[in-house]
């Protein structure tokens, strides 16, 4: 397995302990801000700063198509990927709304849409025109998988260089829950039927067909569970690989990654396989209704912040959760201590 090595520093546990002690001096009962206190400590460890900042956020949405849609595993046609990319570029999608709400920079990257899209705001980094149908052939070559990760890394690095203090990653790709479920089945050695969901809203009959297609595909492709590049190349997606690379860039720069739903979390698992320390820079923002998401979160050793029944993707859940994470940093920076406020401490 000759894959590129991505250096990711360890988080600073000592500064986390210092911040924990400091939080206990703030004008509130110990532990009374619950998960916000935990998030503040985690951010301090990630950023190696006593008063970490996640402002401004940067949003990267990677778009690509999937050949597996030829097998009838999705309720939407493949053409919707390109149509939604144009919707992103015109500002009309959910991620546009929520990005504006939180003051985030938003970049849309064509990493593998099956047709050409002309738009001045689109970042064209197309590795290939969609993946191969992994029921009949490998999704892509090993070199293409590595290239897609590199594209994601570069896009993440560029967003950070332009001032982003945290990354929110999203995706658009009809058929990508099939690829994500296949990847999770390989990494977890789990029965595919327990992982596959309705995606964009398929019927029960189509769901059973989807399970069968993925099951047979995994038998045909036989990806190596010890080799994340092999998994991506055989059953993965270009946008999944792109998000994986962006996560590695963020972790390399001590920048927190706000994980969105099922597909984004699968990219997080791949990043962890490539560089184990990268998982320490990830925050799972919400619990998706996709059946495999809970298992994926547990494999990362995380717990979600929100459970709103979301299953849209695009980075929307992470963008919605961002103000809560920002609140954790403002608690550290702006709350008074008992001493500074002249408030008596608990006897």
């Amino acid at each position: 397995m000759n894959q590129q090595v991505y250096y990711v520093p360890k988080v600073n546990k000592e500064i986390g302990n210092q911040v924990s002690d400091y939080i206990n001096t703030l004008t509130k009962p110990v532990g009374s801000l619950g998960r916000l206190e935990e998030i503040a400590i985690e951010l301090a460890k990630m950023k190696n700063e006593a008063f970490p900042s996640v402002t401004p956020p940067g949003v990267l949405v990677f778009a690509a198509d999937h050949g597996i849609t030829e097998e009838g595993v999705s309720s939407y046609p493949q053409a919707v990927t390109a149509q939604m990319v144009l919707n992103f570029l015109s500002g009309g999608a959910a991620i546009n709304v929520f990005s504006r709400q939180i003051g985030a920079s938003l970049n849309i990257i064509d990493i593998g849409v099956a047709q050409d899209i002309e738009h001045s705001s689109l970042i064209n980094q197309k590795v290939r025109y969609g993946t191969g149908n992994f029921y009949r052939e490998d999704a892509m070559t090993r070199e293409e998988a590595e290239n897609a990760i590199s594209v994601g890394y570069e896009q993440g690095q560029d967003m950070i260089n332009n001032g982003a203090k945290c990354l929110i990653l999203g995706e658009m790709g009809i058929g990508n829950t099939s690829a994500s479920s296949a990847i999770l089945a390989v990494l977890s050695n789990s029965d595919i039927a327990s992982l596959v969901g309705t995606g964009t809203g398929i019927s029960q009959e189509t769901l059973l067909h989807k399970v069968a297609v993925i099951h047979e595909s995994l038998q045909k492709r036989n990806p190596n569970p010890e080799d994340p590049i092999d998994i991506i190349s055989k059953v993965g997606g270009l946008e999944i690989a792109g998000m994986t690379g962006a996560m590695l860039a963020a972790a390399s720069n001590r920048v927190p990654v706000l994980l969105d739903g099922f597909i984004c979390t699968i990219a997080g698992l791949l990043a962890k396989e490539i560089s184990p320390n990268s998982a320490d820079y990830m925050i799972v923002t919400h619990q998706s209704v996709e059946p495999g998401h809970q298992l994926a979160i547990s494999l990362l050793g995380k717990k979600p912040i929100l459970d709103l029944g979301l299953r849209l993707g695009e980075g929307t859940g992470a963008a919605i959760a961002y103000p809560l994470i920002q609140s954790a940093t403002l608690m550290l920076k702006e709350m008074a201590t008992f001493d500074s406020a002249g408030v008596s401490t608990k006897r």
Side-chain angles (χ1 to χ4, degrees):
M1 181 173 67
N2 299 315
Q3 67 190 45
Q4 183 173 343
V5 176
Y6 293 91
Y7 173 73
V8 175
K10 292 182 178 180
V11 295
N12 188 337
K13 295 182 179 179
E14 178 56 36
I15 202 163
N17 294 333
Q18 294 171 16
V19 169
S20 178
D21 291 340
Y22 177 75
I23 289 173
N24 290 339
T25 71
L26 300 178
T27 49
K28 61 174 186 58
V30 171
S32 60
L33 283 175
R35 287 291 302 280
L36 284 185
E37 298 184 19
E38 296 175 15
I39 292 167
I41 293 166
E42 290 303 309
L43 290 171
K45 288 157 60 176
M46 293 175 195
K47 287 186 161 282
N48 195 24
E49 297 172 2
F51 298 96
S53 175
V54 291
T55 306
V59 181
L60 298 173
V61 178
F62 293 88
D65 276 306
H66 292 258
I68 194 67
T69 57
E70 295 170 1
E71 302 304 320
V73 294
S74 175
S75 58
Y76 287 88
Q78 187 179 80
V80 169
T81 300
Q83 292 164 1
M84 278 301 299
V85 168
L86 289 171
N87 190 26
F88 295 148
L89 294 167
S90 64
I95 190 57
N96 298 101
V97 174
F98 301 140
S99 294
R100 289 192 292 265
Q101 178 189 1
I102 63 176
S105 297
L106 171 61
N107 287 349
I108 311 300
I109 304 105
D110 175 359
I111 196 169
V113 180
Q115 65 188 71
D116 288 316
I117 302 171
E118 298 297 330
H119 196 285
S120 59
S121 297
L122 178 66
I123 298 173
N124 187 350
Q125 292 288 324
K126 201 188 297 285
V127 173
R128 57 178 282 171
Y129 288 86
T131 58
N133 178 354
F134 65 71
Y135 184 72
R136 304 180 186 279
E137 62 179 333
D138 288 354
M140 65 190 88
T141 66
R142 188 177 182 93
E143 182 180 12
E144 287 167 340
E146 291 172 337
N147 287 347
I149 292 171
S150 295
V151 166
Y153 190 96
E154 291 164 7
Q155 293 301 314
Q157 188 66 58
D158 286 348
M159 184 65 86
I160 292 164
N161 290 345
N162 286 326
K165 300 299 184 185
C166 70
L167 286 191
I168 292 170
L169 302 174
E171 38 59 42
M172 180 62 222
I174 297 300
N176 59 15
T177 58
S178 293
S180 298
S181 298
I183 293 168
L184 181 58
V186 175
L187 291 175
S188 65
N189 193 28
S190 298
D191 176 32
I192 192 67
S194 67
L195 307 178
V196 176
T198 56
T200 50
I202 58 177
S203 66
Q204 189 63 30
E205 182 182 3
T206 305
L207 177 62
L208 294 174
H209 172 67
K210 182 177 177 179
V211 168
V213 167
I214 297 172
H215 177 73
E216 291 177 32
S217 298
L218 289 173
Q219 290 181 322
K220 293 176 178 180
R221 304 275 77 78
N222 193 29
N224 179 2
E226 304 297 322
D227 183 352
I229 307 300
D230 189 60
I231 298 171
I232 294 169
S233 66
K234 288 180 175 174
V235 298
L238 295 157
E239 80 281 38
I240 297 170
M243 289 192 293
T244 299
M247 291 175 192
L248 292 168
S252 296
N253 286 276
R254 292 189 172 275
V255 170
V257 178
L258 310 191
L259 294 187
D260 188 36
F262 177 52
I263 298 151
C264 186
T265 305
I266 296 304
L269 286 175
L270 291 167
K272 181 183 178 184
E273 289 294 313
I274 293 170
S275 183
N277 287 348
S278 64
D280 294 333
Y281 293 86
M282 301 175 193
I283 297 173
V284 176
T285 58
H286 75 101
Q287 171 75 61
S288 167
V289 298
E290 278 291 307
H293 195 209
Q294 188 169 353
L295 174 59
I297 292 170
S298 68
L299 290 176
L300 280 177
K302 306 288 182 178
K303 55 183 178 180
I305 297 173
L306 300 172
D307 186 351
L308 299 175
L310 304 176
R311 56 180 178 88
L312 176 56
E314 302 177 11
T316 50
I320 290 168
Y322 168 80
L324 293 174
I325 295 161
Q326 183 185 32
S327 296
T329 66
L330 297 177
M331 171 195 71
L332 281 176
K333 292 177 182 176
E334 298 182 14
M335 275 188 72
T337 64
F338 283 102
D339 282 346
S340 68
V343 176
S344 298
T345 58
K346 181 179 178 181
R347 286 182 297 181

